[in-house]
């Protein structure tokens, strides 16, 4: 229901006037009050705190907790389940400043139950009157410290409201002094006194709204014989002879004089019409007031007072009023009159609205139990069963009835089996049905056969007739009750307890929609019970906690186990959203936060397993919350053991005591040593906040230099210290970089927030602290003038806050700028001497050599050929991480340590380490995977990863979310598939990629074999991999010795990438690689050799112009047999000449530009002993994949599936992971992964085509009808796992493409390919710098925008805008795409067009990438031009 003008007006007044608004949600979502209040909360008129209560919750307790507020407002649609809860609390609430705004549709019955306990009751017929009465009610409640009931009609959209300006509401209400509360207030029940209070407030309100406000409004005949009082929506604006109408706006206090003032001496009859259709007492409230006033007045003659019901106002005519008056004269005074059509006795209750997001679970139920699903409380039942049909009690009653009837059915089957007259055929069917009665599929099939047989033989027995009567129960049904987390607030009242304790075979699915990030914003006093724990404590209930946006497979498993369990089952389903407009990406993020923090653990509890002697609890996520852990602790085997063997418990406690003593002794010794060291040295504390490591290195270097000057220095992260501890320090130096839009790095945010909070409160806790700050930033990172304040914002803010808190700045803040000649060192070198001088140690002669910083080169050479302490780190169970030096080495083993950045802040607030996990990348040259290997890869994702795996731009698999204890097992499983992870990452040759050209089967086979040779030849030879991960068991061959003939102990300066391209398709982006081989075909179609390119590379650092992308340069042509040797020699030249001092300039592209291409080529040829042949002509025409079916030269068929951004996972209606697994089970060919992150089902024989096509269609893998833009897109992983990500990529690009697609479709370009790529950082994993349009992350929601790349990867693009957000992206692309559609040449691609049209200059070489960036001419970015 949308918010009508009346509801919007009342909500606005409540929001502006109140300190707290308590809103009761309606059963149909979303509530109109919720919509209106949300709109005000998001506006600039922020005022009240809004608390939304689930439908049916007891609002009285919440209102009483906020009784100290100056003004409280309660809003609700009239409903007995909501308002009846308030009755018990009204005596207490009546003396609080509370306004109850209750909206009704027609019947006033539900709202009027509150009137007897409250001193003031206002009634509004129209939206305008509702607005004015809302103001009046707020005034009355505040000034008199009393409760006011305001009943008003929802109305319709046609009503107009003249609203009071918002800034006038508060002065109007609060200018008047509030009356005393509680015991100090002299309460009165005298109607006359209350009426005077009302009149005073009404006069003040009239002065504000400039409209009349009267308790009663009379119109009609001046000398009437009949007066009609109306309490309802009908406006009886008729001129009926002898009849006067009185419209009631004040129902309480309604004093007798006020009523009698409308009854002139000529009146003989009074009719009281009230729009009350369901009233439990004989007489209605207004009638009692009127009849009492008339009787006590002793009028002569006394008018007859009659009661009546007011019906549908829209259908009332003047003749109906005349007929009513005539009928009143002829009816006995006690009879009940009626005006207008009354609602039928059977009121049609509208079915509650089912939010669209909930289909994520209901569709799973429908798919799993197709044909036998029975949702016992389905909204569809309301039309036939009434409003109670959706309650758990009703559903449980249905279930009990059906199960009892089915028991009768089984009884009848047993009886019929004993009947000697039954035929052998029916006897067999009866026996088979009994054996399969609980099988959903077989029971239906056998049941149908049994019914047909019984009807055919027409058996006369009662048992046979009973079976036919109950035939609907022959098929086993899956019975489900679906509800929301509102049931969890009161397990007894909601009926949920009865379902759990029923012992019936029924399943309950409870949807919890509370987003993790807003879990603490709900009323903390309204405790939601943990339904899972409650049910588990019953002992005989199956319980599962699931989240479809975290693990689709786990949801399926839990639901199927619940269905199989013989007894009650409770499945908790997490679906966090605020409104139906909440995007799926937001639900995904909230789900990850909840699951990964342990707030919403994924688990299954199956008591049936315990009865079989198995472990009943299965944890499907990494973390559990404390309450669940406590429950498990009570149940675990150790507890059982200590109960049965008390000596074990004593031994455990004794051992714990010894360990504790030893730990205390060690800490005491360390404290004593630290005390001796620092006894005479002046103290200096260095605190840093760093994401990338530069600020950390600067801080540690500063601390070391302080020690060399005789200072007692300590160095730590900012977040390792609290404000209280900081106040105890004497001298503190802060070193911080920036993250995002001037924010603090992750390990400095907690202290920064605490400092900000203290500054807001005006505290001065740091008056004894002396400080200085050094910041590291990039003045060019935010080039637009309006963004310039982000430069070093963290350091500047920190300096200001420390000073505000009373700390003394003893050295001015130092700022290091990446744009200076020496980068941040320029500013640092000027700042550090000031520091030593201020501390009085500038004259100290430093004789000891400063320790050399530890770099990757040191780590490699000291690693004993990539061993380090990895093996020891894997055994350390006290942390989920490895040592920092080992994380550099594990890259060579194909492993990256990561943590979930979605929940990093949350875990830091909890005081626990980040949620560490590992990414594993497989080495799979050419991206060719056999079906049996695919099945193992799929299994690894489920058993060790996060249930999904990703196809990377280097044609291999990548797993995320592998925790440390699963690392070794996962890698062993990969090796079991005859694959490995060695050299998939690190400063070595990475996975060699090959073009996938299905139509050129023979050429692809030759190129693939060549790629394997290159990969094997350049593979590191260390045995550390097999020693650490495979327990010295080799995959194949003899034992390897620790020697690196190619790499040496230092390995390469940086990574080295090789690609093999097969023209005309440059799908591997060969020019983006350090080394590229471009296939050249002779006149016979055979592979003659390769054109060799070198020096390609994508990585860049924002703002650092010493870094740039580069497209590879052609060195010449070589034969196939020369290729491996050339690959080796080019890599060795890089090994010996690459920049090992600066990793940002260590790639081959910088080596070539530093040496010069000719010099580099000559050095390669010198090592080869021969020269390259001249380049041979080849041509490319694209770098995207060909989707759909193709047939190769050998007659085999190949299908290219579109897998958006390479993520293999199951989603609702897109079960790609399951589909590919099912294909792998029957496929006899191979899978090929493409460098654009898609999958080719390759080498399908003609006779196998029907099977493969059926599976592709079944799992929607054959859908390649997406737009050309989407088919040409690509994105890296980025958040939440990549530690380098600055912005979203994989999760956001599909959303952006949805919006850009609409622009393309508007201009007739749906099927035109535009290569668009996105990365979360400038390292370029998705090869963005060769795309026609690219977006490179700079901060959350902010990207650099690049244009002008070559369609087939032959030309780099260039920065068009250095900083754009989504609205700016769409504003730029809309006119650009429209112009492209209208002005492009025949066959011209978008990247070429934007150059020809003057948007951007072409990039001719990597060194010139920054030249003329920012657009051309009229399209040039203003900040760049300036």
């Amino acid at each position: 229901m949308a918010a009508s003008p009346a509801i919007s007006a009342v909500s606005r007044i409540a929001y502006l006037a109140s300190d707290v608004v308590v809103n009761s949600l309606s059963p149909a979502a979303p509530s109109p009050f919720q919509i209106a209040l949300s709109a005000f909360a998001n506006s600039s008129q922020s005022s009240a705190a809004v608390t939304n209560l689930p439908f049916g919750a007891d609002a009285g307790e919440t209102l009483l907790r906020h009784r100290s507020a100056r003004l409280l407002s309660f809003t609700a649609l009239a409903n007995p389940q909501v308002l009846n809860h308030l009755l018990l609390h009204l005596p207490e609430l009546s003396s609080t400043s509370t306004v109850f705004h209750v909206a009704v549709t027609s019947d006033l019955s539900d709202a009027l139950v509150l009137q007897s306990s409250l001193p003031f009751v206002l009634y509004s017929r129209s939206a305008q009157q509702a607005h004015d009465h809302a103001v009046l009610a707020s005034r009355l409640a505040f000034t008199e410290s009393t409760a006011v009931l305001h009943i008003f009609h929802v109305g319709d959209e046609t009503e107009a409201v003249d609203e009071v300006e918002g800034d006038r509401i508060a002065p109007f209400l609060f200018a008047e002094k509030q009356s005393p509360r509680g015991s100090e207030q002299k309460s009165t029940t005298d109607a006359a006194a209350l009426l005077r209070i009302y009149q005073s407030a009404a006069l003040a309100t009239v002065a504000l709204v400039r409209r009349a406000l009267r308790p009663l409004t009379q119109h009609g005949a001046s000398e009437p014989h009949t007066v009609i009082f109306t309490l309802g929506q009908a406006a009886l604006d008729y001129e009926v002879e002898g009849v006067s109408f009185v419209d009631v706006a004040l129902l309480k206090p309604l004093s007798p004089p006020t009523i009698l003032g409308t009854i002139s001496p000529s009146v003989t009859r009074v009719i009281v019409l009230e729009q009350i259709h369901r009233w439990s007492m004989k007489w209605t409230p207004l009638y009692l007031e009127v009849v009492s006033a008339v009787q006590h007045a002793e009028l002569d003659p006394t008018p007859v007072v009659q009661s009546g019901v007011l019906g549908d106002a829209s259908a009332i005519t003047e003749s109906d009023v005349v007929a009513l008056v005539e009928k009143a004269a002829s009816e006995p005074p006690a009879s009940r009159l009626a005006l207008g059509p009354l609602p039928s006795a059977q009121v049609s209750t509208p079915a509650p609205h089912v939010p669209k997001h909930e289909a994520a679970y209901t569709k799973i139920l429908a798919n799993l139990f197709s044909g036998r699903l029975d949702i016992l409380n389905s909204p569809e039942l309301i039309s036939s069963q009434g409003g109670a049909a959706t309650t758990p009690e009703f559903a449980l009653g249905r279930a009990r009835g059906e199960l009892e009837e089915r028991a009768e059915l089984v009884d009848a089957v047993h009886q019929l089996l004993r009947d000697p007259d039954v035929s052998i055929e029916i006897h067999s069917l009866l026996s088979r049905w009994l054996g399969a009665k609980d099988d959903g599929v077989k029971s239906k099939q056998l049941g149908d056969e049994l019914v047909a047989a019984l009807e055919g033989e027409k058996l006369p027995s009662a048992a046979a007739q009973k079976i036919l009567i109950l035939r609907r129960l022959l098929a086993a049904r899956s019975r489900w009750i679906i509800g929301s987390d509102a049931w969890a607030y009161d397990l007894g009242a909601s009926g949920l307890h009865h379902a759990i304790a029923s012992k019936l075979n029924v399943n309950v699915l409870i949807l919890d929609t509370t987003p993790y990030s807003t879990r603490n914003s709900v009323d903390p006093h309204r405790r939601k019970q943990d339904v899972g724990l409650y049910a588990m404590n019953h002992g005989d209930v199956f319980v599962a906690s699931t989240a479809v946006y975290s693990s689709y497979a786990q949801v399926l498993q839990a639901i199927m186990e619940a269905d199989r369990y013989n007894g009650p089952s409770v499945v908790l389903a997490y679906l966090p959203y605020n409104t139906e407009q909440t995007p799926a990406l937001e639900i995904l993020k909230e789900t990850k936060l909840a699951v990964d923090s342990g707030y919403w653990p994924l688990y299954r509890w199956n008591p049936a397993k315990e009865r079989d002697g198995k472990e009943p609890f299965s944890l499907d996520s990494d973390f559990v919350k404390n309450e669940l852990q406590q429950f498990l602790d009570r149940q675990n085997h150790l507890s059982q053991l200590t109960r049965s063997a008390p000596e074990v418990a004593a031994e455990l406690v004794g051992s714990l005591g010894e360990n504790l003593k030893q730990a205390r002794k060690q800490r005491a010794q360390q404290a004593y040593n630290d005390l001796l060291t620092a006894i005479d040295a002046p103290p200096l504390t260095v605190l840093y906040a760093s994401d990338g490591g530069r600020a950390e290195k600067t801080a540690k270097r500063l601390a070391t230099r302080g020690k060399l000057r005789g200072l007692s220095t300590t160095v730590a992260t900012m977040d390792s210290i609290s404000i209280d501890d900081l106040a105890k320090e004497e001298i503190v130096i802060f070193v911080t970089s920036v993250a995002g839009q001037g924010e603090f790095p992750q390990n400095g945010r907690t202290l920064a927030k605490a400092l900000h909070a203290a500054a807001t409160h005006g505290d001065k806790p740091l008056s004894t602290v002396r400080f200085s700050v050094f910041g590291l930033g990039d003045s060019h990172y935010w080039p637009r003038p309006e963004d310039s304040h982000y430069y070093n914002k963290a350091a500047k803010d920190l300096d200001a806050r420390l000073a505000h808190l009373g700390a003394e700045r003893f050295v001015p803040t130092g700022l290091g700028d990446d744009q200076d000649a020496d980068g941040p060192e320029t500013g640092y070198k000027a700042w550090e001497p000031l520091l030593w001088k201020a501390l009085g140690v500038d004259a100290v002669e430093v004789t000891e050599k400063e320790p050399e910083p530890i770099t990757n080169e040191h780590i490699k050479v000291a690693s004993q050929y990539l061993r380090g302490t990895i093996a020891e780190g894997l055994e350390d169970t006290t942390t989920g991480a490895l040592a920092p030096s080992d994380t550099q080495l594990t890259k060579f083993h194909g492993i990256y340590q990561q943590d979930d950045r979605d929940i990093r802040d949350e875990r830091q607030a909890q005081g626990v380490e980040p949620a560490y996990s590992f990414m594993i990348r497989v080495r799979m040259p050419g991206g060719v995977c056999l079906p049996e290997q695919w099945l193992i890869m799929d299994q690894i994702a489920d058993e060790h990863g996060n249930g999904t795996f990703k196809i990377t731009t280097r044609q291999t698999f990548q797993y995320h979310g592998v925790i440390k204890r699963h690392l070794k097992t996962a890698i062993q499983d990969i090796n079991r598939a005859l694959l490995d992870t060695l050299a998939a990452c690190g400063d070595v040759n990475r996975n060699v990629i090959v073009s996938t050209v299905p139509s050129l089967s023979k050429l692809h086979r030759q190129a693939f074999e060549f790629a394997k040779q290159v990969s094997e030849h350049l593979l590191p030879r260390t045995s550390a991999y097999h020693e650490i991960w495979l327990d010295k068991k080799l995959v194949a061959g003899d034992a390897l010795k620790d020697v690196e003939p190619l790499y040496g102990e230092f390995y390469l300066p940086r990574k080295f990438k090789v690609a093999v391209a097969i023209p005309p398709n440059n799908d591997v982006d060969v020019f983006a690689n350090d080394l590229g081989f471009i296939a050249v075909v002779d006149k016979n179609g055979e592979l003659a050799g390769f054109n060799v390119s070198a020096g390609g590379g994508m990585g860049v650092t924002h703002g650092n112009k010493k870094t740039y992308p580069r497209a590879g340069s052609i060195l010449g042509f070589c034969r196939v047999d020369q290729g491996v040797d050339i690959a080796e020699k080019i890599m060795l030249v890089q090994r010996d000449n690459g920049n090992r001092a600066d990793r940002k300039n260590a790639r081959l592209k910088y080596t070539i530009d530093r040496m010069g291409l000719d010099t580099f080529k000559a050095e390669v040829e010198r090592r080869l002993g021969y020269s390259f042949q001249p380049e041979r002509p080849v041509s490319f025409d694209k770098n995207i994949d060909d989707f759909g079916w193709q047939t190769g030269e050998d007659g085999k068929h190949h299908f290219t599936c579109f897998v958006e951004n390479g993520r293999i996972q199951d989603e609702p209606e897109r079960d790609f992971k399951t589909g590919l697994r099912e294909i792998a089970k029957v496929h006899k060919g191979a899978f090929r992964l493409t460098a654009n992150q898609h999958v080719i089902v390759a080498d399908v024989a003609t006779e196998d085509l029907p099977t493969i096509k059926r599976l592709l269609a079944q799992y929607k893998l054959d859908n390649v009808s997406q737009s050309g833009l989407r088919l040409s897109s690509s994105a890296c992983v980025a958040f939440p796992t990549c530690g380098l990500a600055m912005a979203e990529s994989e999760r956001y690009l599909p959303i952006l493409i949805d919006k850009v697609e609409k622009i393309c479709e508007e201009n007739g370009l749906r099927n035109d390919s535009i290569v668009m790529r996105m990365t979360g950082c400038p390292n370029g994993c998705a090869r963005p710098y060769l795309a026609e349009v690219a977006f490179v992350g700079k901060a959350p929601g902010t990207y650099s925008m690049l244009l002008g790349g070559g369609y087939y990867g032959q030309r780099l693009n260039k920065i068009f805008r250095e900083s754009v957000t989504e609205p700016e992206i769409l504003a730029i692309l809309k006119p650009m795409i429209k112009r492209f559609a209208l002005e492009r040449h025949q066959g011209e691609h978008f990247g070429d067009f934007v150059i020809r049209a003057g948007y951007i200059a072409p990039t001719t070489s990597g060194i010139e990438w920054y030249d003329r960036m920012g657009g051309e001419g009229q399209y040039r970015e203003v900040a760049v031009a300036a």
Side-chain angles (χ1 to χ4, degrees), residues 33-43 52 579:
F33 280 111
Q34 183 185 16
I35 294 172
L37 290 168
S38 297
F40 296 126
N42 295 327
S43 70
N52 290 307
T579 67

Side-chain angles (χ1 to χ4, degrees), residues 277 341-348:
H277 306 146
L342 300 179
S344 61
Q346 180 63 40
V347 180
S348 177

Side-chain angles (χ1 to χ4, degrees), residues 1126-1375:
I1126 287 173
E1128 175 190 310
K1129 298 306 185 289
I1130 290 177
M1131 189 183 79
L1132 293 181
V1133 174
Q1134 162 64 357
R1135 181 196 69 185
D1136 297 339
N1137 294 275
N1139 185 349
R1140 293 182 182 270
D1142 183 1
R1143 286 183 65 82
K1144 293 185 184 298
N1145 281 91
R1147 287 288 295 275
L1148 178 61
K1149 59 182 176 179
Y1150 302 116
T1151 304
I1152 290 177
D1153 284 345
R1154 191 175 63 255
M1155 295 176 66
L1157 181 62
D1158 293 339
T1159 303
F1160 174 82
K1161 179 180 177 182
E1163 176 60 17
V1164 173
E1165 290 175 335
R1166 184 188 67 79
R1167 297 191 184 213
L1168 287 169
Y1170 56 84
S1171 300
F1172 288 99
Q1173 298 177 39
E1175 174 188 1
R1176 297 194 183 180
V1178 294
S1179 63
F1180 293 111
D1181 60 14
K1182 60 185 173 183
N1183 66 354
I1184 63 172
D1185 295 334
D1186 291 316
F1187 296 95
W1189 284 104
Q1190 294 184 64
T1191 303
E1193 301 159 326
D1194 56 359
K1196 295 290 183 69
H1197 307 280
H1198 315 267
F1199 185 86
T1200 305
C1201 307
F1202 172 73
V1203 181
E1204 192 159 28
N1205 299 322
R1207 180 64 65 181
I1208 305 293
Q1209 63 183 348
D1210 283 342
E1211 301 175 273
E1213 300 187 24
R1214 288 198 304 177
D1215 295 335
F1216 287 2
K1217 185 170 179 288
T1218 300
L1220 290 167
R1221 180 172 62 246
E1222 293 304 312
I1223 290 172
K1225 289 178 181 178
V1226 300
H1227 186 32
K1228 300 171 185 174
F1231 293 94
R1232 298 183 197 166
L1233 312 186
T1234 79
N1236 288 316
Q1237 303 176 293
H1238 306 299
V1239 181
I1240 300 177
V1241 182
D1243 303 320
V1244 181
T1246 302
E1247 60 270 21
D1248 297 327
L1249 272 175
T1251 301
I1252 300 299
K1253 285 184 176 180
R1254 177 180 59 78
L1255 289 170
L1256 288 170
Q1258 179 180 344
Y1259 294 99
K1260 298 182 174 60
L1261 284 160
D1262 61 346
N1263 180 14
V1264 292
S1265 60
Q1266 285 85 359
S1267 68
L1269 175 69
R1270 193 176 296 275
L1271 293 173
S1272 308
S1273 66
S1274 185
C1276 69
V1277 176
F1279 290 138
T1281 52
C1282 179
L1284 301 175
M1286 302 173 181
E1288 291 282 1
S1289 181
E1290 180 188 326
R1291 300 193 296 194
Y1292 171 59
L1293 182 60
I1295 297 171
L1296 178 63
I1297 286 179
D1298 287 341
K1299 299 174 182 179
V1300 179
E1301 264 181 342
K1302 293 178 182 177
I1303 299 173
C1304 292
E1305 289 172 358
E1306 289 170 1
N1307 292 281
L1309 299 176
R1310 172 176 172 75
N1311 298 319
D1312 289 74
S1313 171
I1314 298 176
V1315 179
M1316 178 182 287
R1317 294 173 181 167
M1318 176 178 283
T1319 58
C1321 78
N1323 286 313
C1325 292
R1327 306 191 295 273
Y1329 305 111
L1330 288 170
E1332 296 181 288
V1333 187
F1335 303 97
V1336 177
K1338 296 190 76 174
T1342 305
Y1343 300 83
S1344 290
M1345 180 177 182
L1346 302 94
L1347 293 177
Y1351 179 69
Y1352 52 88
Q1354 82 282 15
R1355 181 182 61 243
L1356 294 169
N1357 52 28
K1358 191 182 291 289
I1359 296 174
F1360 182 67
R1361 293 290 182 266
E1362 288 199 77
S1363 177
V1364 291
T1365 57
E1366 183 183 285
E1368 294 167 309
I1369 291 170
L1370 299 177
I1372 291 170
L1373 286 178
K1374 189 167 186 177

